[in-house]
Amino acid sequence: MRKLERIPLNGKLPSPKGVALAILDLCRSSDADFKDIARVAQTDPALTGRLLRQANSAASGGRSVASVTDAIARLGLGTVRNLALGFSLVDQHQDGPCPGFDYAGFWSHSLLMGVAMQAFASVSSGGAADELFACGLLAQVGRLALATAHPQEYGALLAHPDAASRLVELEREHLHTDHTELSAAMLADWGLPMALVEPIYYHESPDDSGFAPGSRPHQLVHLFHLARCVANLGTASENERGEQIPGLLLLGSKFGLDADEMGRTIDSLMQRWREWGELLKVSTAAPPAFALMTDAQAKRGTNEYAMRVLLVEDDATTRTALHAALEKNLGHQVTCASNGREALALALETMPQVVLTDWQMPGLNGLELCRALRASEWGRTMYIVMLTASNNEQEVMEAFEGGVDDFLAKPVDMLMLRARLFAARHHNQLLEDWDRDRAKLKQFAAELAISNRRLAHAAMTDLLTGLPNRRAGMNSLSKAWAATDRSGEALAVLVLDIDHFKTINDTYGHAIGDTTLRQVAQAIERSARKNDSVCRMGGEEFLVICPNTDIKAGLLAAERLRRVIENLRVDTGKSMISVTASIGVAAREPKMTDTDSLVNAADRALYTAKHSGRNLSCVWVNGKQRCGPW
């Protein structure tokens, strides 16, 4: 992945202007704060409204904000910068100079990808939902950049017959870069962290990333890929959706989403997509509910040979003869109509598998009936045979383009009729096989989703105590740390260690030691505050994460926990033994650069508590330790 200045470009790249550019410059300043950004943002009413909407959307049912200052504080400077960038580019590039580049379709797809990233953020530990919304919106900006910098050349590439399957390869061959590389370079130049830029670079082919399975980049690159597939589904034609859904279900199952959960999530985000489209003046489609896109729309026959046939013929003599041949001689279930309009109503009622229709009829002719049927999901499953006395080549081509499956010359030859019905039966058999395969796929995806959820839970859970394990605890701490970056609230951690635990194991055995660990874990979990997170770090050590908690409140929480554990009694079978714990407390300080520095400070306080007599709570403040009694 090259830097932006090393990429050969002939023209100018898309860039933020006006208020967005001012916000970008302010965010690059080391002394910028929420109020400075708010003063600039308030000069653009449209941007103000969009930031308020996003902040309240990210609140997840919490207190709504009404001022842009509060919105920026909730979102964080980095997210506000990214949102301002995205909104500015949407406003500026609703159209452009590149022939063949679908500007409206590009923004529709990008907006849906952003909304999908926001919706799916909760199923991974990739990052904050509002931050991922902005990243999804900008993930494909390299395509817009190539259309802007090389309008004629890029338009020619998009017209290439293999553009859909070989676009990146063609871009590299003719423009010496590609849209994935250019997207990443631009986002890095605008100041997005590399932890987000790298997954965006690989999101079209996530298996090429080489990220370690289970790592945050690995989760992010697959989350971006899932969001892109959802955007592809939402902007696809009706004919293309059926091919995309099976792969989408499998991708969702990797994040623990079964078919029903995936459907509910997609229906919800499609609604938000339309709402954002109205706000940003971006066109959005209105795909049907996910269940309608996945479930079979036509009824299937149960007899291997008999089929439901709709016969449409305005000539009564021909209609009577064909009806008798189809029903009495060939054993099919036949419904008759004398014109196209009557046939359309009967088709909806009887759901035929085969439609035999005359071409020339008054009112709605056979070709118009075919087009009307093909306009619906259920109508596309029918096998349509056109009855005609014409051999005109142009008419034949017109009929096939209109959706006809086969022709039968009039007057009808019974042998040819049998042949056409044999082809129709084969067609219906394929549809039934597809329905069974799709049902199996949905079941497999559901089972895989459940399995993945169980594995994910096991991977993040301590089997002995049932508490989250060290990995889960550090993930929770990272999220709490990021929240304090955005809100400026306090954050404290407690590191708790059971006193003389080795002696308990040596004296009473490991079974009693395990019982002690479980009872201490349960006591901590019961006594922790509602918003606190508890995990077992390993051995006899536990971590308690206390959001919106300063050092004094953290010490009070530690003392409460210490007294609860001091009052525990463990039954050894022969006697009751008491348990005590030492606790180290630390709160986030300006000099602390990451979560490790915070935990290390609490560890040092714990070490002091151990060496000061145990059954104590000690704090770390500005590089100094202090122990009770308090």
Side-chain angles (χ1 to χ4, degrees), residues 83-268:
L83 289 171
L85 275 169
F87 295 151
S88 174
L89 295 177
V90 172
D91 290 338
Q92 292 176 58
H93 296 279
Q94 294 285 352
D95 51 34
C98 180
F101 186 77
D102 183 2
Y103 289 88
F106 169 79
W107 284 121
S108 183
H109 185 281
S110 296
L111 179 59
L112 181 49
M113 189 169 171
V115 172
M117 284 299 296
Q118 182 180 29
F120 288 128
S122 61
V123 303
S124 78
S125 56
D130 39 298
E131 181 179 45
L132 294 180
F133 171 91
C135 291
L137 181 65
L138 294 168
Q140 300 255 316
V141 72
R143 295 186 61 226
L144 176 67
L146 289 175
T148 305
H150 304 285
Q152 300 305 317
E153 298 95 323
Y154 200 52
L157 287 186
L158 294 174
H160 193 281
D162 297 332
S165 59
R166 296 181 52 238
L167 184 58
V168 169
E169 183 181 340
L170 291 170
E171 289 169 348
R172 291 172 182 166
E173 180 181 345
H174 294 277
L175 302 177
H176 308 294
T177 187
D178 63 75
H179 66 268
T180 60
E181 179 179 60
L182 191 50
S183 293
M186 293 173 68
L187 296 178
D189 189 63
W190 286 333
L192 270 71
M194 290 305 295
L196 293 171
V197 171
E198 286 187 340
I200 289 174
Y201 175 65
Y202 288 108
H203 81 275
E204 291 187 16
S205 52
D207 292 337
D208 296 338
S209 67
F211 296 138
S215 65
R216 182 172 182 252
H218 185 268
Q219 287 191 332
L220 273 173
V221 73
H222 284 87
L223 197 67
F224 276 111
H225 184 65
L226 174 61
R228 182 173 182 266
C229 291
V230 171
N232 290 343
L233 177 72
T235 55
S237 66
E238 288 188 24
N239 291 334
E240 295 169 331
R241 288 176 188 145
E243 299 176 0
Q244 297 178 9
I245 287 173
L248 188 60
L249 290 174
L250 286 177
L251 287 173
S253 68
K254 293 180 180 179
F255 287 94
L257 296 171
D258 61 27
D260 292 335
E261 290 171 314
M262 176 67 82
R264 288 192 295 271
T265 303
I266 288 182
D267 288 343
S268 174

Side-chain angles (χ1 to χ4, degrees), residues 566-592:
E566 189 177 31
N567 291 327
L568 274 180
R569 294 296 180 268
V570 179
D571 186 357
T572 68
K574 296 180 180 180
S575 62
M576 305 294 287
I577 61 172
S578 60
V579 182
T580 63
S582 301
I583 305 177
V585 185
R588 181 173 179 177
E589 298 175 355
K591 292 182 180 179
M592 293 179 178

